[in-house]
Amino acid sequence: MAKTVNAPRGMRDFLPQDKARREHALSVIRGVYRAHGFDEIEAPMLEDYSRLHAGLGGDNEKLSFSVLKRGLTADDFHAAADEGVERIADLGLRFDLTVPLTRFYATNRAQLPPVFRSIQIAPVWRAERPQKGRYRQFVQADIDIIGEPGLMAEIELLTASSQAFAELGLTDVTIRVNDRRVLFGLLAHCGFEAEVHDRALITIDKLDKIGASGVVEELEELDATAAARMGEVLEAVAPKIAGEGIALTREEIVAALPEGLGGEGVTNLVDLGEALEHAIPSNVTLRFDPTLVRGMGYYTGTIFEVAHPASGSSVGGGGRYDGMVGRFLGQDVPAVGFSIGFERVVDLIELPENDGPASIALVYDTDVPKAQLMSIKRELVAAGHRVRLEKRVKNMKAMLDRIAGEGFSEFANVRPDTLSASDLDVRSQGDR
């Protein structure tokens, strides 16, 4: 029986057309982000095990792939059952690009500008349960601003990312926005003690999976009275979030929250909405969502998540994580980031038709001298064409159909008397 030759579960091969669409999307994203003043960096795919498990990655830490130490013995593996994986692993594959970025910044800070705008586009790995839209190896496309404490950082991220969605041809994009300080204010308003706030947010983050009743039921384990009040808040805000949602304006934000709930988080959101009112393309809509949590434990202020009607999951998100870089430097450094869900976005776009020099297939006879054939090809490549050599076959229709599907819109026959590119009779696939 033949052995299976599939890629490992949760990982994929990409055929040429798939790869072309991915590279097109990456090129668009890179181009937009560079135009907005961001610089691309690269960090190792491996980080120290202790850094990847510092309690800042949320549930993703449980999904990280660990790398075993060298020279382990059977006793080491037995001891790991009691002492934990760190006994036998010292490195791990990155599960996101934010943790490596903070380490990168701490390492290279002296060589970076006071406000550092970075682009990272690279694969990450998580031991997910593979399913549609969820893989064990996938690409993230991140921009981050480190060193800017004010709202300008969020404004830059959202304007750049909105333009990237527009350049990719995506319409009806919605960016849901909240602030962690608003969430903590809601919890305090309902009566939850500060020491259970983080646990309460983990439960509220499940709202789209278990519904309001499920959230209230879990919150009752922390405080039954406070859980009932939170249930009232969720019931009141649900119809406001549905439909067109809550505009990022002072009037609608205040109306969506319990009376008297304000503070720095609300002010931050109002200022953000005012700054972005005319700064983002028409394909993107900003909406306030007081139930948006974002699962990562390192967020400290503004948070955002991107939705598209053709995707059942978010297609991007991010937020402010001011306390994270300080873990490595011993002093706080403000930071905020935005990540495009590349794998989900690339499934929503089409590869545009090539509007530059045509892709030409040279169909040659076996008696054409090789040097002559390569000379013609060299001329066409120098003129900017993409050129493929195809040996003439009996079933020309099948061959031309195949190369048309591979992006070669034109073809030309090369015979012994074809001496240069100017002698070619280049024909469109539609004219054959």
Side-chain angles (χ1 to χ4, degrees), residues 120-136:
Q120 284 189 100
I121 302 177
V124 299
W125 292 266
R126 294 178 191 170
E128 297 272 13
R129 180 175 298 170
Q131 53 186 290
K132 182 175 175 57
R134 194 174 291 274
Y135 309 103
R136 288 179 173 174

Side-chain angles (χ1 to χ4, degrees), residues 7 27 67 81 138 158 164-165 168 182 395 407 409:
S27 176
V67 179
F138 54 97
L158 291 173
F165 288 124
L168 287 168
V182 171
N395 190 346
S409 58

Side-chain angles (χ1 to χ4, degrees), residues 357-364 368-391 408 412-415 418-424 426:
S359 297
I360 302 174
L362 297 180
V363 182
Y364 66 94
V368 175
K370 295 179 177 61
Q372 181 177 321
L373 183 64
M374 296 311 298
S375 176
I376 295 171
K377 180 181 179 181
R378 186 167 60 249
E379 284 186 65
L380 292 172
V381 170
H385 297 281
R386 179 178 179 228
V387 184
R388 175 178 291 176
L389 301 178
E390 291 282 350
K391 188 183 296 184
F408 289 86
N413 293 308
V414 182
R415 296 185 169 86
T418 308
L419 301 180
S420 70
S422 61
D423 296 329
L424 293 171
V426 179

Side-chain angles (χ1 to χ4, degrees), residues 21 24-36 159-171 173 280-284 340 345 348-352:
R21 188 170 68 252
H24 163 71
L26 291 172
S27 176
V28 169
I29 294 168
R30 277 193 174 96
V32 170
Y33 284 165
R34 285 190 58 79
H36 279 260
T159 52
S161 298
S162 296
Q163 185 179 341
F165 288 124
E167 295 290 333
L168 287 168
L170 294 179
T171 58
V173 174
I280 61 174
S282 59
N283 67 304
V284 175
I340 288 179
V345 164
L348 301 176
I349 67 171
E350 297 293 335
L351 185 64

Side-chain angles (χ1 to χ4, degrees), residues 36-53:
H36 279 260
F38 292 79
D39 293 312
E40 190 162 4
I41 63 169
E42 184 173 336
M45 66 178 66
L46 295 172
E47 292 286 346
D48 286 342
Y49 179 93
S50 59
R51 185 168 299 119
L52 293 172
H53 295 80

Side-chain angles (χ1 to χ4, degrees), residues 81-326:
D82 297 321
E83 300 176 24
V85 178
E86 58 269 28
R87 171 64 185 264
I88 57 175
D90 56 353
L91 299 172
L93 289 170
R94 61 191 176 211
F95 51 75
D96 73 358
L97 297 178
T98 305
V99 174
L101 173 65
T102 58
R103 196 274 312 152
F104 174 96
Y105 181 82
T107 301
N108 300 286
R109 185 183 186 186
Q111 304 171 65
L112 299 173
V115 177
F116 177 50
R117 297 167 175 84
S118 77
I119 306 170
Q120 284 189 100
I121 302 177
V124 299
W125 292 266
R126 294 178 191 170
E128 297 272 13
R129 180 175 298 170
Q131 53 186 290
K132 182 175 175 57
R134 194 174 291 274
Y135 309 103
R136 288 179 173 174
Q137 176 179 313
F138 54 97
V139 169
Q140 287 189 334
D142 289 13
I143 49 172
D144 294 80
I145 298 179
I146 300 178
E148 171 54 65
L151 198 59
M152 273 307 302
E154 282 92 332
I155 293 168
E156 286 197 58
L157 292 180
L158 291 173
T159 52
S161 298
S162 296
Q163 185 179 341
F165 288 124
E167 295 290 333
L168 287 168
L170 294 179
T171 58
D172 299 324
V173 174
T174 300
I175 302 180
R176 299 157 57 213
V177 185
N178 198 6
D179 193 297
R180 278 287 179 112
R181 291 165 293 187
V182 171
L183 286 166
F184 291 133
L186 270 175
L187 293 173
H189 169 83
C190 291
F192 289 100
E193 297 294 333
E195 57 265 25
V196 302
H197 280 186
D198 288 339
R199 291 166 60 193
L201 289 185
I202 292 172
T203 297
I204 296 172
D205 195 33
K206 302 176 186 177
L207 180 62
D208 60 337
K209 297 182 178 68
I210 63 177
S213 59
V215 167
V216 172
E217 186 177 343
E218 282 197 22
L219 290 177
E220 287 175 348
E221 299 176 10
L222 304 178
D223 186 319
T225 303
R229 291 174 181 164
M230 180 58 72
E232 294 172 1
V233 170
L234 295 178
E235 184 178 355
V237 80
K240 298 176 182 178
I241 296 174
E244 295 185 1
I246 304 166
L248 208 61
T249 64
R250 179 179 300 278
E251 181 180 11
E252 294 207 22
I253 291 172
V254 171
L257 296 171
E259 187 175 353
L261 185 65
E264 196 173 357
V266 171
T267 301
N268 182 66
L269 292 172
V270 171
D271 291 346
L272 182 63
E274 291 176 351
L276 293 174
E277 184 177 3
H278 303 294
I280 61 174
S282 59
N283 67 304
V284 175
T285 303
L286 294 176
R287 287 293 180 261
F288 169 56
D289 185 349
T291 68
L292 177 64
V293 174
R294 298 286 296 169
M296 295 298 193
Y298 48 65
Y299 290 126
T300 57
T302 319
I303 50 177
F304 16 81
E305 193 162 276
V306 187
H308 189 275
S311 177
S313 304
S314 67
V315 295
R320 182 165 283 278
Y321 52 98
D322 285 346
M324 195 170 176
V325 181

